[in-house]
């Protein structure tokens, strides 16, 4: 499934966790990768090295996607390096979890700006290129809490729910040009973001998951690779929950 040779993919927030797994998976299927990161240069360079060690092509590009000018520069650097762009994966995200009564305006703004506005910025920046090509794949990484809600995550859930609306609206706008826009909504995934959660909370989460385990980043990456491939050419505006059955 999913020969991605001669495709160029940009993955935001690709130095760690789910983004790293997605970058490696797409590269393993033949895509040329742009590994975006905000602060962890060493981790991003490690992803590039892993791709190159397997015979792939990749570059790391620093940019804070919550800032529109930086998202524009990120896309420009991609086009300058490889001449085109075929696949955008909006994965960059942060969490600032607190009960609403303790949540500051800054906690709200930071999460919405990175997780939702960041996706808008990148889509806006790549849109013209994809429209000219009359093809492309945009894949947004949401969360199951954008479907279900979750106490202590009003900002994160709002941003991820907003991504669902953004996905569907842009899918309608770009569909006539053969550009698909879909969203993958992971459940609990074993990453740095969940590593700091109390063991009791993680055990409670596993109890709610019919498949009885947390996801691995690779579980999400495989679904993203499918959506990036020709096998998913007739799917757009869809929300795919990769959550072990948690939200069903």
């Amino acid at each position: 499934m999913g020969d991605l040779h001669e495709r160029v993919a940009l993955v935001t927030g690709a130095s760690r966790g789910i983004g790293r797994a997605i970058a490696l998976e797409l590269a393993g299927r033949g895509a040329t990768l742009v590994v975006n990161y905000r602060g962890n240069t060493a981790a991003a360079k490690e992803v590039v090295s892993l791709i190159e060690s397997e015979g792939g092509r990749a570059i790391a590009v620093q940019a804070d996607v919550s800032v529109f000018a930086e998202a524009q520069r990120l896309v420009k650097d991609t086009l300058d390096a490889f001449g085109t762009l075929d696949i955008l994966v909006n994965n960059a995200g942060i969490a600032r979890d607190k009960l609403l009564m303790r949540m500051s305006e800054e906690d709200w703004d930071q999460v919405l700006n990175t997780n939702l506005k960041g996706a808008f910025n990148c889509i806006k920046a790549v849109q013209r290129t994809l429209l000219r090509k009359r093809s492309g794949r945009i894949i947004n990484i949401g969360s199951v809490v954008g479907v279900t809600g979750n106490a202590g995550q009003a900002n994160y859930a709002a941003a991820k729910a907003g991504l669902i609306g953004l996905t569907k609206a842009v899918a309608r706008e770009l569909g006539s040009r053969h550009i698909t826009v879909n969203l993958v909504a992971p459940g609990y995934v074993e990453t740095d973001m969940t590593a700091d959660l109390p063991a009791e909370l993680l055990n409670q989460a596993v109890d709610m998951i019919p498949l009885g385990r947390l996801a691995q980043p690779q579980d999400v990456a495989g679904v993203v690779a499918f959506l990036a491939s020709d096998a998913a050419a007739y799917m757009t505006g869809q929300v795919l929950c990769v959550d072990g059955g948690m939200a069903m």
Side-chain angles (χ1 to χ4, degrees):
M1 177 201 78
D3 178 9
L4 299 178
H5 286 88
E6 299 184 7
R7 312 269 175 95
V8 176
L10 164 58
V11 182
T12 68
S15 64
R16 299 184 300 169
I18 293 172
R20 179 182 188 274
I22 291 169
L24 294 174
E25 180 71 22
L26 297 180
R29 294 172 187 260
T32 296
L33 259 293
V34 177
V35 176
N36 162 251
Y37 67 102
R38 185 176 65 176
N40 197 332
T41 303
K45 287 184 175 178
E46 182 188 1
V47 177
V48 170
S49 295
L50 285 169
I51 292 170
E52 291 177 340
S53 71
E54 296 293 324
R57 289 202 303 166
I59 59 170
V61 179
Q62 189 281 332
D64 180 349
V65 297
S66 71
V67 179
F68 182 62
E70 294 203 27
Q72 284 185 305
R73 176 179 56 77
L74 172 60
V75 171
K76 181 179 184 301
D77 287 352
T78 299
L79 296 175
D80 288 347
F82 300 119
T84 191
L85 178 58
D86 304 284
I87 301 160
L88 167 65
V89 182
N90 285 309
N91 168 75
I94 61 171
R96 298 286 184 270
D97 296 350
K98 288 183 182 119
L99 291 174
L100 188 64
M101 66 174 62
R102 297 195 183 106
M103 187 176 291
S104 68
E105 182 180 6
E106 184 181 18
D107 291 330
W108 176 271
D109 287 346
Q110 284 183 347
V111 170
L112 270 288
N113 284 343
T114 297
N115 298 16
L116 181 56
K117 187 186 174 190
F120 162 81
N121 287 343
C122 290
I123 292 170
K124 185 96 169 151
V126 306
Q127 180 176 266
R128 193 180 300 273
T129 297
L130 299 184
L131 286 171
R132 277 200 301 265
K133 289 167 65 74
R134 299 185 69 88
S135 68
R137 299 279 188 271
I138 297 171
I139 302 157
N140 297 321
I141 306 301
S143 169
V144 69
V145 305
V147 178
T148 65
N150 195 35
Q153 289 191 303
N155 48 3
Y156 191 79
K160 296 301 190 178
L163 270 179
I164 293 174
L166 178 66
T167 297
K168 292 176 180 288
V170 178
R172 290 185 180 276
E173 290 187 17
L174 302 185
S176 65
R177 297 294 183 97
H178 312 294
I179 300 162
T180 68
V181 189
N182 293 289
L183 181 140
V184 176
Y188 284 95
V189 184
E190 284 193 33
T191 65
D192 292 346
M193 195 178 280
T194 57
D196 295 333
L197 294 175
E200 182 183 357
L201 183 61
L202 288 177
N203 289 335
Q204 289 174 356
V206 170
D207 288 342
M208 294 188 298
I209 300 169
L211 289 185
R213 67 172 177 88
L214 301 184
Q216 297 299 314
Q218 183 56 37
D219 293 319
V220 180
V223 177
V224 172
F226 162 69
L227 289 173
S229 75
D230 291 341
Y234 201 59
M235 291 179 63
T236 198
Q238 300 305 304
V239 176
L240 277 67
C241 290
V242 183
D243 63 355
M246 199 168 96
M248 68 178 169

Short mmCIF file of all heavy atoms in Angstrom, two decimals, residues 24-76:
data_model
loop_
_atom_site.label_atom_id
_atom_site.label_comp_id
_atom_site.label_asym_id
_atom_site.label_seq_id
_atom_site.Cartn_x
_atom_site.Cartn_y
_atom_site.Cartn_z
N LEU A 24 9.12 9.16 9.63
CA LEU A 24 9.86 7.93 9.30
C LEU A 24 9.02 6.99 8.45
O LEU A 24 9.53 6.34 7.52
CB LEU A 24 10.30 7.23 10.59
CG LEU A 24 11.33 7.99 11.43
CD1 LEU A 24 11.58 7.27 12.75
CD2 LEU A 24 12.64 8.17 10.67
N GLU A 25 7.71 6.91 8.73
CA GLU A 25 6.84 6.02 7.96
C GLU A 25 6.70 6.50 6.52
O GLU A 25 6.80 5.70 5.57
CB GLU A 25 5.46 5.95 8.62
CG GLU A 25 4.45 5.05 7.91
CD GLU A 25 4.76 3.58 8.03
OE1 GLU A 25 5.49 3.18 8.97
OE2 GLU A 25 4.27 2.80 7.18
N LEU A 26 6.46 7.79 6.33
CA LEU A 26 6.33 8.32 4.97
C LEU A 26 7.62 8.16 4.19
O LEU A 26 7.62 7.80 3.00
CB LEU A 26 5.90 9.79 5.02
CG LEU A 26 4.54 10.10 5.64
CD1 LEU A 26 4.27 11.61 5.62
CD2 LEU A 26 3.41 9.36 4.92
N ALA A 27 8.75 8.41 4.85
CA ALA A 27 10.05 8.23 4.20
C ALA A 27 10.27 6.77 3.83
O ALA A 27 10.80 6.45 2.76
CB ALA A 27 11.17 8.72 5.11
N GLY A 28 9.85 5.87 4.71
CA GLY A 28 9.99 4.44 4.44
C GLY A 28 9.19 3.99 3.23
O GLY A 28 9.51 2.97 2.61
N ARG A 29 8.16 4.76 2.90
CA ARG A 29 7.34 4.45 1.72
C ARG A 29 7.79 5.23 0.49
O ARG A 29 7.10 5.23 -0.53
CB ARG A 29 5.87 4.71 2.02
CG ARG A 29 5.31 3.77 3.10
CD ARG A 29 3.92 4.17 3.52
NE ARG A 29 3.47 3.37 4.65
CZ ARG A 29 2.67 2.32 4.56
NH1 ARG A 29 2.23 1.92 3.38
NH2 ARG A 29 2.29 1.67 5.64
N GLY A 30 8.92 5.94 0.62
CA GLY A 30 9.53 6.56 -0.55
C GLY A 30 9.44 8.06 -0.63
O GLY A 30 10.01 8.67 -1.54
N ALA A 31 8.72 8.71 0.29
CA ALA A 31 8.56 10.16 0.21
C ALA A 31 9.85 10.88 0.62
O ALA A 31 10.62 10.39 1.44
CB ALA A 31 7.41 10.62 1.10
N THR A 32 10.05 12.05 0.04
CA THR A 32 11.08 12.98 0.49
C THR A 32 10.48 13.81 1.62
O THR A 32 9.36 14.30 1.50
CB THR A 32 11.52 13.89 -0.67
OG1 THR A 32 12.14 13.09 -1.68
CG2 THR A 32 12.49 14.96 -0.20
N LEU A 33 11.23 13.99 2.71
CA LEU A 33 10.66 14.57 3.92
C LEU A 33 11.24 15.93 4.29
O LEU A 33 12.45 16.14 4.20
CB LEU A 33 10.88 13.63 5.12
CG LEU A 33 9.69 12.77 5.54
CD1 LEU A 33 8.55 13.62 6.10
CD2 LEU A 33 9.20 11.92 4.37
N VAL A 34 10.36 16.81 4.72
CA VAL A 34 10.76 18.04 5.42
C VAL A 34 10.33 17.86 6.87
O VAL A 34 9.14 17.75 7.16
CB VAL A 34 10.12 19.28 4.80
CG1 VAL A 34 10.49 20.53 5.59
CG2 VAL A 34 10.55 19.43 3.34
N VAL A 35 11.31 17.79 7.74
CA VAL A 35 11.08 17.55 9.17
C VAL A 35 11.06 18.90 9.86
O VAL A 35 12.09 19.52 10.09
CB VAL A 35 12.21 16.66 9.75
CG1 VAL A 35 12.05 16.49 11.25
CG2 VAL A 35 12.24 15.30 9.04
N ASN A 36 9.85 19.38 10.17
CA ASN A 36 9.73 20.66 10.85
C ASN A 36 9.84 20.47 12.36
O ASN A 36 9.37 19.47 12.91
CB ASN A 36 8.39 21.32 10.51
CG ASN A 36 8.02 22.41 11.52
OD1 ASN A 36 7.10 22.24 12.31
ND2 ASN A 36 8.74 23.51 11.51
N TYR A 37 10.46 21.45 13.01
CA TYR A 37 10.54 21.44 14.47
C TYR A 37 10.57 22.88 14.95
O TYR A 37 10.88 23.80 14.19
CB TYR A 37 11.81 20.71 14.94
CG TYR A 37 13.09 21.43 14.59
CD1 TYR A 37 13.79 22.18 15.54
CD2 TYR A 37 13.61 21.39 13.30
CE1 TYR A 37 14.95 22.85 15.22
CE2 TYR A 37 14.77 22.08 12.97
CZ TYR A 37 15.44 22.80 13.93
OH TYR A 37 16.58 23.49 13.61
N ARG A 38 10.22 23.07 16.22
CA ARG A 38 10.25 24.42 16.78
C ARG A 38 11.53 24.69 17.57
O ARG A 38 12.16 25.71 17.38
CB ARG A 38 9.03 24.68 17.66
CG ARG A 38 8.96 26.12 18.17
CD ARG A 38 7.71 26.39 18.95
NE ARG A 38 7.67 25.61 20.19
CZ ARG A 38 6.70 25.72 21.10
NH1 ARG A 38 5.70 26.54 20.89
NH2 ARG A 38 6.73 24.98 22.20
N GLY A 39 11.93 23.73 18.45
CA GLY A 39 13.05 24.02 19.32
C GLY A 39 14.13 22.95 19.44
O GLY A 39 15.28 23.26 19.74
N ASN A 40 13.78 21.69 19.19
CA ASN A 40 14.71 20.60 19.46
C ASN A 40 15.50 20.25 18.20
O ASN A 40 15.19 19.29 17.48
CB ASN A 40 13.96 19.38 19.98
CG ASN A 40 14.87 18.38 20.65
OD1 ASN A 40 16.05 18.28 20.32
ND2 ASN A 40 14.34 17.61 21.59
N THR A 41 16.56 21.00 17.96
CA THR A 41 17.36 20.82 16.74
C THR A 41 17.99 19.43 16.67
O THR A 41 17.97 18.78 15.63
CB THR A 41 18.47 21.89 16.67
OG1 THR A 41 17.87 23.19 16.72
CG2 THR A 41 19.26 21.76 15.38
N ALA A 42 18.53 18.98 17.79
CA ALA A 42 19.22 17.68 17.81
C ALA A 42 18.27 16.55 17.46
O ALA A 42 18.62 15.64 16.68
CB ALA A 42 19.85 17.44 19.18
N ALA A 43 17.06 16.59 18.01
CA ALA A 43 16.09 15.53 17.73
C ALA A 43 15.66 15.55 16.26
O ALA A 43 15.51 14.49 15.63
CB ALA A 43 14.87 15.67 18.64
N ALA A 44 15.47 16.74 15.70
CA ALA A 44 15.08 16.85 14.29
C ALA A 44 16.19 16.32 13.38
O ALA A 44 15.92 15.60 12.40
CB ALA A 44 14.76 18.30 13.95
N LYS A 45 17.43 16.66 13.70
CA LYS A 45 18.56 16.18 12.89
C LYS A 45 18.70 14.66 12.98
O LYS A 45 19.11 14.00 12.02
CB LYS A 45 19.85 16.87 13.32
CG LYS A 45 19.92 18.34 12.88
CD LYS A 45 21.25 18.98 13.26
CE LYS A 45 21.35 20.39 12.70
NZ LYS A 45 22.62 21.05 13.08
N GLU A 46 18.35 14.12 14.14
CA GLU A 46 18.39 12.66 14.28
C GLU A 46 17.38 11.98 13.36
O GLU A 46 17.67 10.95 12.75
CB GLU A 46 18.11 12.26 15.73
CG GLU A 46 18.19 10.75 15.96
CD GLU A 46 17.72 10.33 17.34
OE1 GLU A 46 17.31 11.20 18.13
OE2 GLU A 46 17.74 9.12 17.62
N VAL A 47 16.18 12.57 13.24
CA VAL A 47 15.16 12.02 12.32
C VAL A 47 15.68 12.07 10.89
O VAL A 47 15.56 11.10 10.13
CB VAL A 47 13.83 12.79 12.45
CG1 VAL A 47 12.81 12.26 11.44
CG2 VAL A 47 13.27 12.67 13.87
N VAL A 48 16.28 13.20 10.51
CA VAL A 48 16.85 13.32 9.16
C VAL A 48 17.92 12.26 8.94
O VAL A 48 17.96 11.61 7.89
CB VAL A 48 17.43 14.74 8.96
CG1 VAL A 48 18.24 14.81 7.66
CG2 VAL A 48 16.30 15.77 8.93
N SER A 49 18.79 12.06 9.91
CA SER A 49 19.86 11.07 9.79
C SER A 49 19.30 9.65 9.63
O SER A 49 19.83 8.86 8.84
CB SER A 49 20.78 11.12 11.02
OG SER A 49 21.46 12.35 11.08
N LEU A 50 18.26 9.34 10.38
CA LEU A 50 17.64 8.02 10.27
C LEU A 50 17.08 7.80 8.86
O LEU A 50 17.23 6.72 8.28
CB LEU A 50 16.53 7.87 11.31
CG LEU A 50 16.97 7.63 12.75
CD1 LEU A 50 15.79 7.76 13.70
CD2 LEU A 50 17.62 6.25 12.89
N ILE A 51 16.44 8.83 8.32
CA ILE A 51 15.88 8.73 6.96
C ILE A 51 17.00 8.56 5.94
O ILE A 51 16.93 7.69 5.06
CB ILE A 51 15.02 9.98 6.64
CG1 ILE A 51 13.75 9.98 7.51
CG2 ILE A 51 14.66 10.02 5.15
CD1 ILE A 51 12.97 11.27 7.45
N GLU A 52 18.05 9.36 6.08
CA GLU A 52 19.16 9.28 5.13
C GLU A 52 19.90 7.95 5.23
O GLU A 52 20.38 7.42 4.22
CB GLU A 52 20.12 10.45 5.36
CG GLU A 52 19.52 11.79 4.96
CD GLU A 52 20.44 12.97 5.26
OE1 GLU A 52 21.35 12.83 6.10
OE2 GLU A 52 20.23 14.04 4.65
N SER A 53 19.96 7.39 6.44
CA SER A 53 20.65 6.11 6.61
C SER A 53 19.94 4.96 5.90
O SER A 53 20.53 3.93 5.60
CB SER A 53 20.79 5.77 8.10
OG SER A 53 19.53 5.43 8.67
N GLU A 54 18.65 5.17 5.62
CA GLU A 54 17.87 4.17 4.88
C GLU A 54 17.78 4.50 3.39
O GLU A 54 16.99 3.91 2.66
CB GLU A 54 16.45 4.06 5.46
CG GLU A 54 16.41 3.56 6.91
CD GLU A 54 16.86 2.12 7.03
OE1 GLU A 54 16.57 1.33 6.10
OE2 GLU A 54 17.51 1.78 8.04
N GLY A 55 18.58 5.48 2.96
CA GLY A 55 18.61 5.84 1.54
C GLY A 55 17.60 6.89 1.14
O GLY A 55 17.45 7.18 -0.05
N GLY A 56 16.93 7.51 2.12
CA GLY A 56 15.92 8.51 1.80
C GLY A 56 16.50 9.91 1.76
O GLY A 56 17.68 10.14 2.06
N ARG A 57 15.63 10.87 1.39
CA ARG A 57 16.03 12.27 1.35
C ARG A 57 15.21 13.04 2.38
O ARG A 57 13.99 12.86 2.47
CB ARG A 57 15.78 12.88 -0.03
CG ARG A 57 16.71 12.39 -1.12
CD ARG A 57 16.76 13.39 -2.27
NE ARG A 57 15.45 13.67 -2.83
CZ ARG A 57 15.19 14.69 -3.65
NH1 ARG A 57 16.15 15.55 -3.98
NH2 ARG A 57 13.98 14.87 -4.14
N ALA A 58 15.87 13.93 3.12
CA ALA A 58 15.17 14.71 4.13
C ALA A 58 15.98 15.92 4.52
O ALA A 58 17.21 15.91 4.43
CB ALA A 58 14.88 13.86 5.37
N ILE A 59 15.27 16.96 4.95
CA ILE A 59 15.91 18.12 5.56
C ILE A 59 15.11 18.49 6.81
O ILE A 59 13.93 18.16 6.92
CB ILE A 59 15.98 19.34 4.61
CG1 ILE A 59 14.57 19.78 4.17
CG2 ILE A 59 16.87 19.06 3.42
CD1 ILE A 59 14.54 21.12 3.43
N ALA A 60 15.77 19.16 7.75
CA ALA A 60 15.10 19.70 8.93
C ALA A 60 14.96 21.20 8.76
O ALA A 60 15.90 21.87 8.34
CB ALA A 60 15.90 19.38 10.19
N VAL A 61 13.78 21.73 9.07
CA VAL A 61 13.53 23.17 8.95
C VAL A 61 12.87 23.66 10.24
O VAL A 61 11.78 23.21 10.60
CB VAL A 61 12.63 23.50 7.75
CG1 VAL A 61 12.39 25.01 7.68
CG2 VAL A 61 13.25 23.01 6.45
N GLN A 62 13.54 24.59 10.90
CA GLN A 62 12.99 25.17 12.13
C GLN A 62 11.94 26.22 11.77
O GLN A 62 12.16 27.06 10.89
CB GLN A 62 14.11 25.82 12.95
CG GLN A 62 13.70 26.28 14.35
CD GLN A 62 12.95 27.60 14.37
OE1 GLN A 62 13.15 28.44 13.48
NE2 GLN A 62 12.08 27.76 15.34
N ALA A 63 10.80 26.16 12.43
CA ALA A 63 9.77 27.19 12.27
C ALA A 63 8.71 26.99 13.34
O ALA A 63 8.36 25.86 13.68
CB ALA A 63 9.12 27.13 10.88
N ASP A 64 8.21 28.09 13.87
CA ASP A 64 7.09 28.07 14.81
C ASP A 64 5.82 28.29 13.99
O ASP A 64 5.52 29.41 13.56
CB ASP A 64 7.26 29.17 15.85
CG ASP A 64 6.13 29.21 16.88
OD1 ASP A 64 5.11 28.52 16.67
OD2 ASP A 64 6.27 29.93 17.88
N VAL A 65 5.05 27.22 13.76
CA VAL A 65 3.92 27.30 12.84
C VAL A 65 2.79 28.16 13.38
O VAL A 65 1.87 28.52 12.63
CB VAL A 65 3.39 25.90 12.47
CG1 VAL A 65 4.46 25.10 11.73
CG2 VAL A 65 2.86 25.15 13.68
N SER A 66 2.82 28.52 14.66
CA SER A 66 1.78 29.40 15.20
C SER A 66 1.92 30.82 14.68
O SER A 66 1.00 31.64 14.83
CB SER A 66 1.79 29.39 16.73
OG SER A 66 2.92 30.07 17.24
N VAL A 67 3.06 31.11 14.05
CA VAL A 67 3.31 32.44 13.47
C VAL A 67 3.20 32.31 11.95
O VAL A 67 3.95 31.55 11.33
CB VAL A 67 4.72 32.95 13.86
CG1 VAL A 67 4.98 34.31 13.24
CG2 VAL A 67 4.86 33.00 15.37
N PHE A 68 2.29 33.06 11.34
CA PHE A 68 2.01 32.88 9.91
C PHE A 68 3.24 33.10 9.05
O PHE A 68 3.50 32.33 8.11
CB PHE A 68 0.88 33.81 9.46
CG PHE A 68 0.52 33.63 8.02
CD1 PHE A 68 0.03 32.41 7.55
CD2 PHE A 68 0.68 34.66 7.11
CE1 PHE A 68 -0.30 32.24 6.21
CE2 PHE A 68 0.36 34.50 5.77
CZ PHE A 68 -0.13 33.27 5.32
N ALA A 69 4.03 34.12 9.36
CA ALA A 69 5.22 34.39 8.55
C ALA A 69 6.20 33.23 8.60
O ALA A 69 6.87 32.92 7.59
CB ALA A 69 5.90 35.68 9.04
N GLU A 70 6.29 32.54 9.75
CA GLU A 70 7.19 31.39 9.85
C GLU A 70 6.63 30.19 9.09
O GLU A 70 7.40 29.42 8.49
CB GLU A 70 7.46 31.06 11.31
CG GLU A 70 8.22 32.16 12.03
CD GLU A 70 8.97 31.66 13.26
OE1 GLU A 70 9.34 30.47 13.31
OE2 GLU A 70 9.18 32.48 14.17
N ALA A 71 5.33 30.02 9.10
CA ALA A 71 4.72 28.95 8.30
C ALA A 71 4.98 29.20 6.81
O ALA A 71 5.28 28.27 6.05
CB ALA A 71 3.22 28.85 8.58
N GLN A 72 4.87 30.45 6.40
CA GLN A 72 5.17 30.79 5.00
C GLN A 72 6.62 30.47 4.66
O GLN A 72 6.91 29.93 3.59
CB GLN A 72 4.90 32.28 4.76
CG GLN A 72 3.43 32.65 4.64
CD GLN A 72 3.27 34.12 4.28
OE1 GLN A 72 3.79 34.99 4.98
NE2 GLN A 72 2.57 34.39 3.20
N ARG A 73 7.54 30.85 5.57
CA ARG A 73 8.95 30.56 5.32
C ARG A 73 9.22 29.06 5.26
O ARG A 73 10.03 28.59 4.45
CB ARG A 73 9.81 31.21 6.42
CG ARG A 73 11.29 30.88 6.29
CD ARG A 73 12.13 31.55 7.36
NE ARG A 73 11.70 31.25 8.72
CZ ARG A 73 11.97 30.10 9.33
NH1 ARG A 73 12.64 29.12 8.71
NH2 ARG A 73 11.56 29.90 10.57
N LEU A 74 8.54 28.31 6.11
CA LEU A 74 8.68 26.85 6.12
C LEU A 74 8.32 26.27 4.76
O LEU A 74 9.04 25.42 4.21
CB LEU A 74 7.79 26.27 7.22
CG LEU A 74 7.64 24.75 7.28
CD1 LEU A 74 8.98 24.06 7.49
CD2 LEU A 74 6.64 24.38 8.38
N VAL A 75 7.22 26.72 4.19
CA VAL A 75 6.80 26.23 2.88
C VAL A 75 7.77 26.71 1.80
O VAL A 75 8.14 25.95 0.89
CB VAL A 75 5.35 26.66 2.57
CG1 VAL A 75 4.98 26.35 1.13
CG2 VAL A 75 4.40 25.97 3.54
N LYS A 76 8.21 27.97 1.90
CA LYS A 76 9.17 28.49 0.91
C LYS A 76 10.47 27.68 0.94
O LYS A 76 11.02 27.33 -0.12
CB LYS A 76 9.47 29.96 1.19
CG LYS A 76 10.44 30.58 0.18
CD LYS A 76 10.70 32.05 0.47
CE LYS A 76 11.58 32.67 -0.62
NZ LYS A 76 12.88 32.00 -0.75
#
